[in-house]
């Protein structure tokens, strides 16, 4: 069954919110409140600063996706409306996160990111399902890349933000033990999501690897334990992604290329 087309205010709202999340950082960088790096707590598991440049990619992909949805009335998925709402909540959350971070509301920022992570993981579940055959192939690819990158970065960021809040008010930010627990929890969640959707949303494990490489760069020469956990997680992400991808390609495996009826893509 062809998914219902989407049009009207809900699609234009996506454009508005995608632009809003791009413009939100202007507030702290204009001197109104603290910038994100000023309002957080430096930890032993904080990724190197350059890793946060991935927001530029997220912003670009978000705007391209929103414009494409207005143009095509589709998301390239079987549940376009739900996926669009998920991403709109994430776009709005990203803008709100910047503002509450600027206000230095320590415990609000991880709550906002938790909401973002929940909706983005739901979007990942939808995007990893069989694509909408009536939509252009490029739109499916665009959606899967955006959702994969955004969901993975949110997965890493939500643990970092909760850790930063804990380190600011409840625990020693230079104590290793509790931070290793947070890092392992992040790794477990990331691996579980990768096992579920990573072979389709390849951008998800790749983005997590980017985050963990950033953690290694920060931890080198400081703490061997953090480096060890990060390296082990990267290896596990690669092995999990490759293994699931190989299993999916076997004849008769649900979702495999060989089990898809001929012509189901209508030449797309």
């Amino acid at each position: 069954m062809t998914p219902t087309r989407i049009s009207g205010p809900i699609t234009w709202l996506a454009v508005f919110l995608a632009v809003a999340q791009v413009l939100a950082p202007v507030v702290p960088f204009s001197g109104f409140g603290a910038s994100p790096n000023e309002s957080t707590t430096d930890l032993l598991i904080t990724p190197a600063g350059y890793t946060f440049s991935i927001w530029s990619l997220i912003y670009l992909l978000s705007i391209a996706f929103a414009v494409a949805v207005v143009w095509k009335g589709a998301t390239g998925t079987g549940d376009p409306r739900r996926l669009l709402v998920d991403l709109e909540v994430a776009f709005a959350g990203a803008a709100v996160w910047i503002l509450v971070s600027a206000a230095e509301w320590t415990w609000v920022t991880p709550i906002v990111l938790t909401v973002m992570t929940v909706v983005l993981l739901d979007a990942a579940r939808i995007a990893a399902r069989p694509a909408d055959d009536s939509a252009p192939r490029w739109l499916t690819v665009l959606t899967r890349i955006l959702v994969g990158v955004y969901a993975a970065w949110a997965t890493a960021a939500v643990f970092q933000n909760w850790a930063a809040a804990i380190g600011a008010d409840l625990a020693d930010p230079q104590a290793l033990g509790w931070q290793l627990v947070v890092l392992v929890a992040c790794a477990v969640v990331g691996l579980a999501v990768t096992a579920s959707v990573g072979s389709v949303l390849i951008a998800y494990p790749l983005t997590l690897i980017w985050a963990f490489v950033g953690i290694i760069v920060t931890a080198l020469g400081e703490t061997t334990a953090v480096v060890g956990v990060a390296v082990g997680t990267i290896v596990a992400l690669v092995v999990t992604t490759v293994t699931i991808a190989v299993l999916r390609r076997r004849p008769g495996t649900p979702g495999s290329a060989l089990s898809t009826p001929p012509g189901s893509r209508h030449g797309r």
Side-chain angles (χ1 to χ4, degrees):
M1 182 176 68
T2 301
T4 304
R5 300 293 92 180
I6 47 177
S7 60
I10 191 173
T11 59
W12 286 102
L13 179 61
V15 175
F16 172 80
L17 292 174
V19 172
Q21 71 172 349
V22 176
L23 296 179
V26 172
V27 174
F29 288 120
S30 296
F32 297 97
S35 64
N37 63 317
E38 293 173 335
S39 62
T40 192
T41 306
D42 286 332
L43 302 170
L44 299 173
I45 59 173
T46 301
Y50 74 85
T51 60
F52 295 92
S53 64
I54 199 169
W55 275 110
S56 298
L57 176 61
I58 291 173
Y59 291 155
L60 179 62
L61 291 171
S62 296
I63 292 175
F65 166 83
V67 171
V69 169
V70 172
W71 177 25
K72 293 295 183 180
T75 64
T77 69
D79 195 349
R81 182 170 293 272
R82 179 164 179 168
L83 181 132
L84 184 60
V85 170
D86 282 343
L87 286 175
E88 287 177 342
V89 172
F91 297 163
V96 170
W97 183 88
I98 289 290
L99 299 179
V100 297
S101 175
E104 298 187 85
W105 294 348
T106 305
W107 290 95
V108 179
T109 52
I111 293 173
V112 173
L113 262 169
T114 299
V115 174
M116 290 174 62
T117 303
V118 169
V119 296
L120 284 166
L121 291 180
D122 184 63
R125 179 182 59 84
I126 296 168
R129 291 175 177 173
D132 172 10
D133 289 333
S134 64
R137 176 62 179 169
W138 62 263
L139 179 55
T140 299
V141 173
L142 172 62
T143 299
R144 287 177 171 175
I145 293 174
L146 168 61
V147 172
V149 172
Y150 214 156
W153 190 249
T155 301
V158 71
F159 284 95
Q160 289 288 329
N161 272 247
W162 279 110
I166 292 170
D169 296 330
L170 300 178
D172 181 359
Q174 294 305 308
L176 178 61
W178 70 270
Q179 294 184 60
L180 280 179
V181 171
V182 173
L183 190 61
V184 170
C186 177
V188 169
V189 172
L191 284 167
V193 177
T194 296
S196 177
V197 305
S199 62
V200 178
L201 306 185
I202 190 65
Y204 185 91
L206 289 178
T207 302
L208 272 185
I209 289 171
W210 170 264
F212 276 92
V213 167
I215 292 172
I216 292 171
V217 170
T218 298
L220 278 174
E222 298 291 334
T223 166
T224 304
V226 170
V227 173
V229 171
V231 170
T233 301
I234 291 172
V235 172
L237 285 167
V238 172
V239 171
T240 300
T241 303
V242 172
T243 300
I244 299 299
V246 169
L247 290 175
R248 282 176 57 86
R249 291 178 181 276
R250 287 184 177 177
T253 302
S256 70
L258 294 178
S259 64
T260 303
S264 63
R265 293 295 303 176
H266 302 296
R268 295 185 187 277

